[in-house]
Amino acid sequence: MTETMRALVIDRVGAPDELHIAEVPMPRRVSDEVLVRVVAAGVNPIDMKTRAGRGVSAAITGYPAVLGNDFAGVVETVPYAQHPLQPGDRVYGMGRVPRLGGSYAEFISVSSMSLTPMPATLGFVEAAAVPLAALTAWGAVIDTARAHDGQRMLIHAGAGGVGHFAVQFASYFGANVTATCSSRNADLVRALGARHVIDYERERFERVAHDQDVVIDLIGNGTDDTSTRSLDALRPDGLIVTVPTGSWPTMAEDAAARGIRATGYSVSPDARTLAVITRLIDDGAVRVHVEQEFPLEEGAEAHRVLEGGHVRGKLVLRVAPDPE
């Protein structure tokens, strides 16, 4: 195996044009890590924020830096002969960027607890769209909000990367889902399981949705004070789960003053939960929407599209051809 690999990197934080192709050292697999040959890599808001100098950029220890959390690919090497995964297996998962090199590269090395076999019903591009977004949705909707029959749940950005999974998970477990989205995405969000759809371009959601048990806030206060306004949609002692927590530094105090519970949420790589999500996908209970696929060389354009907002589902980078 060669000592270097092709990757999409940044030499400093900044605009999307900072992303460029370079030859970088191969990741060195250690301990329980599995080395994966990447076929496709998901593009997420955290990648965009980190590239711009926000997100987790403070943890970048050196350049060039390889971003990208989601991946789908083929196992190259494993920690020991009888490991549950074997060379040639099709796998997907998420890494720990920037503690380790990311998935915008030909290879990634990740903990065994960060990946699992791919859904049999998905190709590599669709699979790469799943891990971070689906695990975030599961953590917010299932682990934190405890979605259950009859629960009234308002989900912001129901057509987005995390949102389109959140709507499906909440609906699957019986919640009465109201979702916000643009008019062009209303039919999609209804098809995903939302009973009520609010076109945020025409209606103020807090005037339409009342006495909700839970709000899953995937937008934050950076856009039209969405987080703060969500308090008006909740019942007393309701719960707001805000994923972009940095946009609402007074979250705890503002919610407490209204008698409402509030928490942020941060996702972790979790092979066991991802395996459950895999079964839901293969059973047809959950579907994946990829808005657009870009070659790795056009990663900067993918970031520009994501920055523009209004992406339905996910964007994915094609790193290598499908293996034969």
Side-chain angles (χ1 to χ4, degrees):
M1 186 176 292
T2 62
E3 293 297 314
T4 64
M5 65 176 180
R6 183 168 167 270
L8 185 70
V9 306
I10 56 172
D11 294 329
R12 57 180 179 264
V13 297
D17 288 343
E18 296 296 340
L19 288 160
H20 65 279
I21 298 292
E23 285 288 321
V24 299
M26 283 277 296
R28 297 191 179 277
R29 193 205 63 73
V30 297
S31 189
D32 76 319
E33 290 176 1
V34 175
L35 183 66
V36 176
R37 184 183 295 270
V38 179
V39 175
V43 180
N44 292 287
I46 187 63
D47 307 341
M48 176 184 70
K49 293 174 183 176
T50 300
R51 184 221 74 231
R54 305 187 307 276
V56 293
S57 61
I60 296 175
T61 56
Y63 294 96
V66 181
L67 305 180
N69 289 273
D70 291 333
F71 63 87
V74 178
V75 173
E76 190 76 11
T77 57
V78 294
Y80 52 91
Q82 296 302 312
H83 192 273
L85 297 172
Q86 289 293 301
D89 286 353
R90 298 183 172 206
V91 295
Y92 74 150
M94 60 175 285
R96 288 194 174 275
V97 179
R99 299 296 188 192
L100 298 172
S103 59
Y104 294 1
E106 291 180 307
F107 293 90
I108 188 171
S109 189
V110 296
S111 165
S112 294
M113 289 306 298
S114 296
L115 78 169
T116 196
M118 270 173 46
T121 55
L122 296 185
F124 288 96
V125 169
E126 285 184 307
V130 174
L132 186 146
L135 287 171
T136 300
W138 187 278
V141 170
I142 309 303
D143 294 338
T144 306
R146 307 288 184 185
H148 58 267
D149 284 342
Q151 184 183 44
R152 293 160 300 181
M153 185 177 295
L154 172 62
I155 299 174
H156 290 310
V162 176
H164 87 292
F165 288 117
V167 169
Q168 292 179 85
F169 294 154
S171 177
Y172 181 83
F173 284 95
N176 184 335
V177 177
T178 298
T180 63
C181 66
S182 65
S183 56
R184 84 177 184 99
N185 291 323
D187 289 343
L188 169 68
V189 172
R190 287 191 186 94
L192 295 175
R195 298 190 194 179
H196 314 282
V197 175
I198 300 172
D199 180 353
Y200 70 85
E201 296 171 322
R202 300 184 179 185
E203 296 181 292
R204 303 290 281 182
F205 65 81
E206 68 272 27
R207 295 176 183 171
V208 181
H210 304 288
D211 297 319
Q212 298 292 303
D213 298 305
V214 176
V215 171
I216 304 296
D217 175 18
L218 304 174
I219 297 177
N221 256 352
T223 301
D224 201 17
D225 293 328
T226 297
S227 303
T228 302
R229 289 165 50 213
S230 294
L231 299 178
D232 292 332
L234 283 160
R235 64 167 173 81
D237 199 40
L239 171 68
I240 181 168
V241 183
T242 299
V243 174
T245 52
S247 68
W248 192 14
T250 58
M251 174 183 69
E253 297 87 345
D254 293 350
R258 301 280 296 274
I260 289 169
R261 294 169 292 140
T263 183
Y265 179 76
S266 296
V267 67
S268 300
D270 184 347
R272 291 191 178 96
T273 299
L274 191 56
V276 173
I277 294 168
T278 301
R279 289 197 292 273
L280 291 175
I281 291 171
D282 280 340
D283 287 345
V286 171
R287 55 186 169 126
V288 184
H289 186 86
V290 175
E291 170 108 329
Q292 195 170 353
E293 173 187 338
F294 298 82
L296 186 64
E297 297 85 350
E298 295 180 13
E301 178 60 19
H303 274 230
R304 282 190 284 269
V305 171
L306 191 61
E307 281 186 338
H310 310 296
V311 172
R312 178 189 293 183
K314 291 289 295 291
L315 305 178
V316 176
L317 299 179
R318 165 70 73 167
V319 179
D322 285 2
E324 295 181 357

